[in-house]
Amino acid sequence: MSNRPLRIAPSILSADFARLGQEVKDIVDAGADYIHIDVMDGHFVPNISFGAPVMKAVRGVTDKVFDVHLMIAPTDAYLADFAAAGADIITVHAEAGPHLHRSLQAIRAMGKKAGVALNPATPVSAIQHVIDDCDLVLVMSVNPGFGGQNFIPESLNKIRQARALIGGRDIDLEVDGGVTAANANDIVAAGANVLVAGSAVYGGNDPATYGPRIKAIRDAATSLRA
Ligand code: DX5
Ligand code: ZN
């Protein structure tokens, strides 16, 4: 279990893009802590979402933390664009290129928090030599590329290993993919403190449901285990 604050980070990948600014406002009003922004290039992952200009267009609607998850390769050439567009945390994939250490340093040099994401098949040991260059570790609990997939149960073991590697460092442990009110307690018990939720919050795109859904995830995550 982490002693860091719990953060619920709805993913705008499942928002109604025709009303994106309003969807971001609605999720903030509903109690989101971070805004999770999934950038996909159709190369590193088999889907294309949106890039820095779209993110910049919604930067004006809230001061909440923009938690930017780059599922792109290569990454380094685009880091400055996302920093300029208003990212607060920029997360790159450990699998996206041969120079992860350079990417993390470049993000910090721009004054942003540096995150590293691990695909389901990538071991936690892949980041042991860069852990002090990270502000956030993201454990992918689905194969990245699409919302609405089922949580991979083995991810819980990986979250425990990542928590052990982080130890007492000032690093967030984020979990992304298939997070729901039904598994939030197990995920937090394993050591995560940032929960991404796409379809579990935005599914159906009815703003009236966002508040109760975020609350359900938060309540489940913080409830004492029987
Ligand atoms: C998957 C993305 C996730 C996705 C999560 O590639 O990184 O952030 O939006 O969606 P759900 O919560 O529906 O699995
Ligand atoms: Zn994501």
Side-chain angles (χ1 to χ4, degrees), residues 11 36-38 69 71 138 140 176 196:
S11 166
H36 187 80
I37 298 177
D38 286 308
H69 178 191
M71 289 163 273
L138 194 177
M140 285 305 304
D176 185 4
V196 177

Side-chain angles (χ1 to χ4, degrees), residues 1-46:
M1 192 111 165
S2 171
N3 55 10
R4 300 175 68 74
L6 177 71
R7 308 287 191 201
I8 309 294
S11 166
I12 62 169
L13 186 64
S14 295
D16 177 352
F17 290 165
R19 302 183 297 110
L20 188 55
Q22 189 60 46
E23 288 272 76
V24 172
K25 273 187 201 154
D26 286 342
I27 217 72
V28 169
D29 291 346
D33 300 306
Y34 291 174
I35 311 301
H36 187 80
I37 298 177
D38 286 308
V39 179
M40 303 177 176
D41 67 353
H43 167 72
F44 180 70
V45 290

Side-chain angles (χ1 to χ4, degrees), residues 106-183:
I107 295 166
R108 281 187 166 175
M110 293 185 295
K112 307 301 180 184
K113 292 197 168 169
V116 60
L118 299 171
N119 280 336
T122 304
V124 169
S125 61
I127 56 168
Q128 66 179 333
H129 300 296
V130 294
I131 192 69
D132 286 312
D133 302 291
C134 299
D135 301 296
L136 177 145
V137 172
L138 194 177
V139 171
M140 285 305 304
S141 42
V142 299
N143 288 295
F146 303 94
Q149 302 180 79
N150 290 331
F151 184 88
I152 298 170
E154 170 62 17
S155 308
L156 291 175
N157 286 328
K158 192 188 253 180
I159 295 162
R160 286 185 205 102
Q161 288 185 17
R163 167 53 45 208
L165 175 64
I166 290 169
R169 292 177 176 88
D170 188 19
I171 296 175
D172 279 326
L173 179 50
E174 179 171 50
V175 175
D176 185 4
V179 175
T180 67
N183 58 24

